[in-house]
Amino acid sequence: MGKRQTSFAAGLLGIWSVIFVIIPYFRGIFFYEDMIHVDVVLGLWAFVGLAGMVFAFGSGRFRSAGSPAGTATVWQNPVWAAGVTAALMLIIQYAVMARFGIRASYAWDQAYRMATVLISAIALTALLVVAGKRGRAIVLAGMGFSLGWTALFPFLAVVGVTAFPDAVLGGRLSSVYQYPNTYGALVGAGMLMALAALSEPPLDRRAGWWRLPSAWALVPLAVGFVFSTSRGAWILWPIAWWLVLWLLPAARQLRTVALTGLLWLAALPLLPFFPAWQAAHSWWALLGPAAVGIVYAGAVAVIDRIGLSRQARADVRGGGRAASRAAGAAEGPNAWRGTSRLGRAFTPLVVLLIAFIGGAALRTSAVQAFLPSDIARRLADISLTTRNAAERFSFYRDSLKLIREHWLWGAGGDAWRDVFLHYISYPYYSTQTHSFIFQLAVEVGLIGVALFTVLLLCALILGVRAYRYGDDDDRRVVLLSAIPALYLFAHGQIDFDFSFGYVLIVFFAWLALLSAAGLTAQKKSETPDAGRRVGRRTAGTTGIDAVWRSPKGRYAAALPVLLSLIALWLVVFAGREAYALRLQPSGQSLDEVVRKIDYKARVLAQHRETRLMKIELYRQIYEQTHDGHYLETARREAEAVRAMSADDPRVLLSLGRFYAAVGDDDAADQVYAQAVATAPLFLPAYEARFEWLALRALRAAEQGDRDARGAPSTIAEANAALLAMQARIQAERKRLESEPPALRYPEFTITPLMQAYAGIVKLLDGQVSEGREMLEPNVGGIADPVVRLDAMLLLAAMYDLLGDSGAREAKLAESEQWYTEQKAQSGGLPETELHARYATWRAWLESVRRE
């Protein structure tokens, strides 16, 4: 392996680490508008790395670092080639389904995200193989810094050093991860990495440059982990930590147990005080964990020094023979695993027994009295009967409905976000399935799940190879990668962690480390002579001509070329979308504004928000210019968006407001009715249709049209529709009342706002008593100022007809005062003569009463 290739790979890995450390601060970990820029950056990085490999491979110098001469090139490893092929097919499937699935708003963004993560992980793996141990150190340091500083971020927010949004949510720490559950999972994974690294005794005192900072950070990490109050992260962490023990030699098992016990002994005294420090924004919230972290790091340093001193004395007494024996033993396959299986099983089994006792103790009132109330409440609330757990089962069950409709190829990236309201069986609101495997099945079907399983298994197979046949450094990489990845993956099956780009990057970085370790690990039988035989079977190592002599060699040569082209495609198209997202529809002239919004809507053709923005902008331009071209274009856009969004009531409500604004009452009525029909458990759809029917009834009554299709018919139809919706809500309410308490959703009911709108329609329909009972106590909740004013005047007219002059005068005075205040504050009301408008409503009520 040439030094220039190794330096090139190490340099690119250094750039990757810098990107990985920086991007969380810019929120390039969650939101599509931010992640798309990370896609461009990482896609460009992957393209450069893959293009460099193509050149090196073509010149015949790209071989596994440190491997015997003549062994197969990294691209020819059958296991890794299978994983790369599965990733490549998954990328293509995401792109195809973005075009031919349900065309969700963010289908292309999800396709870009998955392509970026998978291609950069493949490039990362190959570069790690080229750079060897130096590359591993760079990547592990980058991951450690990224996880470390983002985990410590909420402590800075508590004391006011920074005011990053959502760094702290109530009493729960969240960092830049926006959600405390994801914060708990990532912090827990970072703790597992740090404890696994510290469990290995240092070979010399120079290791302190990374061991002491890692030990110091563990205490704040432990405090942050606890105050994420993520029950899923809490439950899964001891399981993952226990699995670490099984991968360690017996001596290191004891060291891991000791370090973990010391960590929690150091962190526990901080827990009762931290909520008060946080509430007061006291610097103790930062200084307390930092100070205890120094103590813990000092204890780790003392343990390390004792171990080094004992080793030095043993070497002196043995004349170096002890070191020689240790080196010789390390070559054997059982050195890492311990002398016997029984010896390695003893500590984990004892720990398991202690864990059961400790778990029972945590549920006792004596222990919970010591803990902060929020922590104690969350511990006591761990069960499958809580609303949180019950909702997740609802998410999974409902997502199966969409999966059954698109079971083979999937519905496309991020499909659940656009259509979940059509499939829900309970009135929850969740744009994620809260399970990565269900989310994946929704997006790419069983084929996509199978492809992901293949690439995951390939990485694990290579990790097992590294653990069985590799040296101590290979096993160390397995330990630092496999367990944190497993922990994060397990948590992602019960939460939405993997919906966010940063989590995907972290997870696949661990898989890349596992794969690289397996690719470089060699069996003892793979001697240089055996390597030459392998080399002859795998097309040799003398250049691209030799590689092309076998079908496997041609395939291996084509893989990096194809991936380079995909990376270039990703940079171009994701960059185009990133530019369109940042483009603001503004300018010096109307033509410039129109040109920008047309370009934005063309590039982001599936983004409902962008298309709705164009519709609204064209409507406003039509109102100013009265140019029918703009209105016709807006109508065409509205129909196109409606066709894409038949199962999304949120978009339908926006379209209903557009049709209402341009005076197309029939289209508005159809769209509002469609919104309720497609999502009968989405309460805002009911409220919007209640409002529309009341507004339409008011318009009809104000016009006073008396023919067969006039006001009475319109008001009667509105009243019938309102009654049907009320009956539907009451039927669903009755069904929910029969469910377990966690699934009753008491907020799903006829709201005061619905009551107010229904009261307006009933008054206009002549049902005075019932209309008054529904409208009068709820009129203050009407948001539309014009409708509210008319409702108040209707009540005054009603009192006049009932002969209650005192109530009429009070309502008129109230209406006039409110109208004057609103005009002064916002000017949102049209100029009108209140008494003339009042006379209109009185005349209408009188005519209805006569009939």
Side-chain angles (χ1 to χ4, degrees):
M1 182 64 60
K3 291 184 177 179
R4 283 186 295 179
Q5 292 181 44
T6 303
S7 298
F8 169 77
L12 277 180
L13 292 175
I15 294 173
W16 180 91
S17 296
V18 171
I19 294 170
F20 193 57
V21 169
I22 292 175
I23 59 171
Y25 187 80
F26 294 98
R27 264 337 228 295
I29 53 178
F30 292 116
F31 303 115
Y32 291 101
E33 292 83 354
D34 295 326
M35 186 64 197
I36 197 72
H37 297 89
V38 178
D39 290 334
V40 175
V41 173
L42 281 182
L44 183 60
W45 175 87
F47 172 72
V48 172
L50 290 166
M53 293 173 209
V54 170
F55 171 78
F57 190 44
S59 62
R61 294 193 298 271
F62 190 74
R63 301 186 187 93
S64 298
S67 63
T71 54
T73 62
V74 63
W75 293 100
Q76 290 175 280
N77 183 286
V79 175
W80 196 58
V84 172
T85 304
L88 177 61
M89 294 174 66
L90 188 59
I91 291 169
I92 294 172
Q93 186 180 355
Y94 260 101
V96 171
M97 296 315 299
R99 176 63 182 83
F100 296 103
I102 67 169
R103 301 187 67 192
S105 290
Y106 294 105
W108 280 109
D109 301 68
Q110 185 73 345
Y112 296 146
R113 172 180 291 185
M114 293 301 296
T116 295
V117 171
L118 292 174
I119 290 180
S120 61
I122 293 169
L124 185 64
T125 304
L127 290 168
L128 283 166
V129 171
V130 176
K133 294 183 179 180
R134 180 184 175 190
R136 294 176 181 178
I138 292 172
V139 170
L140 286 170
M143 292 184 69
F145 275 114
S146 186
L147 288 171
W149 84 262
T150 51
L152 297 175
F153 200 86
F155 294 91
L156 301 177
V158 166
V159 299
V161 173
T162 181
F164 205 88
D166 300 331
V168 179
L169 291 177
R172 304 179 68 184
L173 301 188
S174 178
S175 189
V176 297
Y177 303 132
Q178 187 185 10
Y179 296 102
N181 291 339
T182 303
Y183 173 75
L186 285 169
V187 169
M191 292 172 64
L192 289 171
M193 279 188 66
L195 284 169
L198 292 173
S199 69
E200 182 181 12
L203 299 177
D204 54 54
R205 295 178 181 178
R206 289 176 296 178
W209 72 269
W210 66 265
R211 294 179 68 85
L212 291 181
S214 299
W216 169 82
L218 268 172
V219 173
L221 287 178
V223 173
F225 178 74
V226 170
F227 283 96
S228 71
T229 63
S230 173
R231 291 167 294 190
W234 288 350
I235 294 171
L236 292 172
W237 193 87
I239 298 173
W241 176 87
W242 186 68
L243 292 176
V244 170
L245 295 182
W246 289 96
L247 296 178
L248 294 172
R252 285 186 60 183
Q253 289 177 348
L254 295 174
R255 183 182 176 90
T256 302
V257 172
L259 289 175
T260 306
L262 284 175
L263 171 64
W264 289 113
L265 284 175
L268 282 174
L270 296 169
L271 302 186
F273 304 102
F274 189 83
W277 294 339
Q278 180 183 339
H281 301 288
S282 169
W283 274 86
W284 280 111
L286 178 63
L287 298 178
V292 177
I294 293 173
V295 175
Y296 179 73
V300 173
V302 170
I303 295 173
D304 288 348
R305 181 178 290 273
I306 293 172
L308 286 171
S309 300
R310 291 179 62 186
Q311 182 63 47
R313 289 196 298 271
D315 289 345
V316 170
R317 287 196 302 269
R321 289 193 299 273
S324 299
R325 286 196 302 271
E331 296 177 0
N334 291 323
W336 183 268
R337 305 179 194 175
T339 55
S340 69
R341 292 183 179 178
L342 182 60
R344 292 180 63 244
F346 178 77
T347 300
L349 292 177
V350 171
V351 168
L352 183 62
L353 178 62
I354 296 173
F356 277 117
I357 298 173
L362 282 175
R363 304 299 291 267
T364 63
S365 57
V367 173
Q368 291 186 3
F370 168 78
L371 297 172
S373 58
D374 288 346
I375 306 301
R377 185 165 53 251
R378 297 285 282 187
L379 283 171
D381 200 29
I382 295 176
S383 72
L384 295 179
T385 61
T386 62
R387 178 163 178 171
N388 188 277
E391 279 187 334
R392 275 165 169 72
F393 288 115
S394 297
F395 302 158
Y396 308 154
R397 182 176 58 252
D398 294 343
S399 65
L400 285 173
K401 301 175 187 176
L402 180 57
I403 292 170
R404 281 195 293 267
E405 293 181 8
H406 303 270
W407 65 274
L408 187 60
W409 297 101
D414 205 44
W416 184 249
R417 182 189 303 269
D418 276 20
V419 299
F420 76 94
L421 289 168
H422 179 66
Y423 293 93
I424 58 175
S425 56
Y426 295 92
Y428 58 77
Y429 191 93
S430 174
T431 58
Q432 302 294 334
T433 63
H434 282 68
S435 172
F436 173 66
I437 200 65
F438 279 95
Q439 193 86 14
L440 193 67
V442 164
E443 295 177 350
V444 285
L446 294 184
I447 289 179
V449 172
L451 292 172
F452 174 80
T453 303
V454 169
L455 69 92
L456 183 61
L457 287 176
C458 289
L460 293 178
I461 290 170
L462 290 170
V464 170
R465 174 186 171 87
Y467 185 81
R468 292 185 63 189
Y469 304 118
D471 57 18
D472 283 356
D473 187 70
D474 293 325
R475 294 189 181 98
R476 182 184 305 110
V477 170
V478 171
L479 187 65
L480 296 179
S481 306
I483 298 301
L486 177 64
Y487 170 73
L488 191 59
F489 184 74
H491 191 266
Q493 306 319 303
I494 59 173
D495 219 318
F496 44 66
D497 302 338
F498 277 72
S499 298
F500 305 134
Y502 181 78
V503 177
L504 282 173
I505 295 171
V506 172
F507 178 73
F508 279 100
W510 280 320
L511 295 190
L513 285 164
L514 279 178
S515 301
L519 290 169
T520 56
Q522 300 294 327
K523 297 181 182 179
K524 290 187 66 176
S525 61
E526 292 176 344
T527 62
D529 289 338
R532 282 193 289 273
R533 289 194 295 273
V534 173
R536 284 194 292 272
R537 288 198 306 270
T538 55
T541 59
T542 58
I544 194 67
D545 293 334
V547 170
W548 279 96
R549 291 175 188 171
S550 71
K552 190 170 80 169
R554 288 193 292 270
Y555 176 74
L559 269 180
V561 175
L562 184 57
L563 288 167
S564 299
L565 293 176
I566 291 178
L568 183 61
W569 169 85
L570 175 67
V571 171
V572 172
F573 283 91
R576 181 169 173 257
E577 182 164 329
Y579 170 74
L581 281 170
R582 296 179 65 89
L583 191 64
Q584 297 299 319
S586 59
Q588 299 297 320
S589 65
L590 179 61
D591 290 341
E592 185 179 358
V593 174
V594 169
R595 185 170 61 253
K596 287 182 178 180
I597 192 62
D598 284 346
Y599 176 81
K600 192 178 180 77
R602 185 170 64 254
V603 173
L604 307 174
Q606 292 179 193
H607 284 220
R608 274 49 163 188
E609 295 84 355
T610 302
R611 300 286 289 274
L612 291 171
M613 181 194 306
K614 179 178 179 179
I615 293 169
E616 178 60 20
L617 179 63
Y618 272 46
R619 184 190 68 80
Q620 293 178 11
I621 294 174
Y622 166 74
E623 288 183 349
Q624 296 173 10
T625 65
H626 301 289
D627 187 339
H629 162 73
Y630 292 108
L631 180 59
E632 184 60 30
T633 303
R635 286 182 179 276
R636 287 198 304 268
E637 285 283 306
E639 289 304 313
V641 173
R642 182 180 176 183
M644 288 195 302
S645 309
D647 293 334
D648 190 347
R650 297 160 298 183
V651 175
L652 295 175
L653 295 182
S654 296
L655 294 176
R657 287 189 288 271
F658 162 73
Y659 286 122
V662 298
D664 193 341
D665 288 359
D666 290 338
D669 197 57
Q670 292 173 8
V671 172
Y672 279 122
Q674 183 182 354
V676 173
T678 196
L681 291 171
F682 185 50
L683 210 56
Y686 287 98
E687 289 189 333
R689 194 178 182 211
F690 266 72
E691 180 182 13
W692 162 248
L693 291 171
L695 179 61
R696 194 174 186 188
L698 285 168
R699 287 178 179 174
E702 186 176 7
Q703 293 168 1
D705 191 354
R706 311 303 299 165
D707 62 34
R709 293 180 53 82
S713 176
T714 300
I715 294 171
E717 290 173 1
N719 191 43
L722 290 173
L723 288 173
M725 286 191 290
Q726 287 174 318
R728 179 61 187 269
I729 294 172
Q730 289 167 351
E732 292 291 348
R733 182 69 260 153
K734 185 177 180 180
R735 177 181 71 87
L736 293 173
E737 288 298 329
S738 65
E739 296 290 339
L743 294 175
R744 288 180 183 171
Y745 297 92
E747 60 273 19
F748 185 82
T749 186
I750 297 174
T751 65
L753 190 59
M754 294 182 199
Q755 295 265 16
Y757 291 133
I760 291 173
V761 175
K762 289 189 179 300
L763 279 178
L764 294 175
D765 196 39
Q767 303 177 47
V768 175
S769 178
E770 190 175 353
R772 170 191 173 185
E773 183 179 345
M774 298 177 75
L775 176 59
E776 188 162 26
N778 301 307
V779 67
I782 298 175
D784 188 314
V786 176
V787 176
R788 181 172 173 178
L789 177 63
D790 285 337
M792 296 168 73
L793 293 174
L794 266 174
L795 288 172
M798 177 205 67
Y799 280 118
D800 192 8
L801 289 176
L802 293 176
D804 191 340
S805 59
R808 182 203 63 181
E809 293 301 325
K811 284 295 179 184
L812 281 175
E814 181 185 349
S815 302
E816 188 169 0
Q817 181 181 356
W818 183 82
Y819 176 78
T820 304
E821 291 175 352
Q822 289 296 307
K823 290 289 291 182
Q825 290 175 6
S826 61
L829 286 168
E831 292 292 341
T832 186
E833 173 56 48
L834 286 185
H835 289 280
R837 198 168 187 84
Y838 162 77
T840 298
W841 297 126
R842 189 187 183 288
W844 173 261
L845 291 180
E846 188 173 15
S847 68
V848 171
R849 187 180 184 184
R850 269 201 312 271
E851 294 178 358

